[in-house]
């Protein structure tokens, strides 16, 4: 059973920079995992931020960026704003058509 | 503009069946893979299933394998999810989502439809 790991919570000061990570319970995340990132606020559908490691979705500001850091995927938010306060999910491709979401990171901006 | 509109969510008893639909517009439906992702109340996102652009290949999460069937009707730009042998733990908002291919993550999302399984 593949488990995708994310920090349960994180906090950042307004204007600050934060890096959220997405790992695998066994093994390393690579570009072949096609890591993607989503933002979700309560009652809303997910919003795609980053797909295929580092491609920003249409309309997403460039203060959101994706990368591979060591053996994990990473989402970096620079110049955090109050409305970045959301839950962030990553998803990884584990092969043979199967995708697994992480449990989400609740980001607080304060 | 891409639009994905889910329907078919309802209250169903354990052991029952439901069929969800997702009507797509604003893009060439037959050129994209399509997925279902669900979210139980107060919980995180869970990938459920994906089907390739032509409908010939489909894949499922272990939690629904053998009970759910994904299908599509490209002539109608519509995606389906047939849900059988429903369990309480299938209670969730079900989102359909568009992806470039099976091995690419969903990019565009619908607003979701609520399925409640309860006696």
């Amino acid at each position: 059973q593949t488990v995708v790991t994310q920090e349960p919570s994180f906090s950042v000061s307004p204007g600050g920079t934060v890096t959220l990570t997405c790992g695998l319970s066994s093994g390393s995340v690579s570009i072949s995992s096609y890591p993607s990132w989503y933002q979700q606020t309560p009652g809303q559908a997910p919003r795609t931020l980053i797909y295929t490691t580092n491609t920003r979705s249409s309309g997403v500001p460039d203060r959101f960026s994706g990368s591979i850091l060591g053996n994990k995927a990473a989402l970096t938010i620079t110049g955090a704003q109050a409305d970045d306060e959301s839950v962030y999910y990553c998803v990884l491709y584990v092969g043979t058509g199967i995708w697994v979401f992480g449990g989400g990171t609740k980001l607080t901006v304060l | 503009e891409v639009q994905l509109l889910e329907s078919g969510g309802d209250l169903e008893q354990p052991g029952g069946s439901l069929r969800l639909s997702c009507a797509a517009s604003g893009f060439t439906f037959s050129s994209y893979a399509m997925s279902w992702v669900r979210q139980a109340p107060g919980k995180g996102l869970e990938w459920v299933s994906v089907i390739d652009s032509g409908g010939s290949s489909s894949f499922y999460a272990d939690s629904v394998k053998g009970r759910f069937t994904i299908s599509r009707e490209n002539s109608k730009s519509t995606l389906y999810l047939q849900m059988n042998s429903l369990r309480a733990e299938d209670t969730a908002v079900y989102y359909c989502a568009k992806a470039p291919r099976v091995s690419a993550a969903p990019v565009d999302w619908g607003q979701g439809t609520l399925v409640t399984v309860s006696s």
Side-chain angles (χ1 to χ4, degrees), chain B residues 20-80:
Chain B
L20 306 184
S21 299
C22 172
S25 61
F27 65 101
T28 304
F29 182 73
S30 59
S31 296
Y32 291 86
M34 296 295 296
S35 296
W36 288 99
V37 176
R38 69 184 181 183
Q39 187 169 36
K43 302 296 185 182
L45 300 174
E46 180 187 12
W47 177 82
V48 173
S49 181
V50 65
I51 188 168
D52 71 358
S53 59
S56 60
S57 295
S58 57
F59 304 91
Y60 301 89
D62 285 345
S63 57
V64 306
K65 196 177 296 182
R67 301 187 299 121
F68 290 10
T69 303
I70 191 171
S71 63
R72 63 192 296 161
E73 199 163 353
N74 284 347
S75 62
K76 294 185 176 181
S77 296
T78 302
L79 175 73
Y80 303 101

Side-chain angles (χ1 to χ4, degrees), chain A residues 13-100:
Chain A
S13 300
T17 296
V18 62
T19 297
L20 311 181
T21 68
C22 176
L24 282 168
S25 55
S26 58
S28 298
V29 177
S30 70
I31 59 172
S32 300
S33 305
Y34 306 110
S36 302
W37 293 89
Y38 305 91
Q39 178 189 51
Q40 190 181 37
T41 52
Q44 298 297 312
R47 172 197 182 198
T48 302
L49 297 175
I50 302 287
Y51 57 94
T52 319
T53 305
N54 55 14
T55 303
R56 266 184 300 276
S57 189
S58 176
V60 174
D62 60 7
R63 53 198 187 78
F64 291 91
S65 62
S67 64
I68 300 289
L69 286 181
N71 62 351
K72 295 184 178 183
L75 173 71
T76 299
I77 307 171
T78 58
Q81 300 178 0
D83 61 4
D84 294 336
E85 190 161 292
S86 302
V87 180
Y88 292 84
Y89 295 96
C90 69
V91 71
L92 301 176
Y93 183 66
V94 298
T96 324
I98 306 299
W99 292 84
V100 180

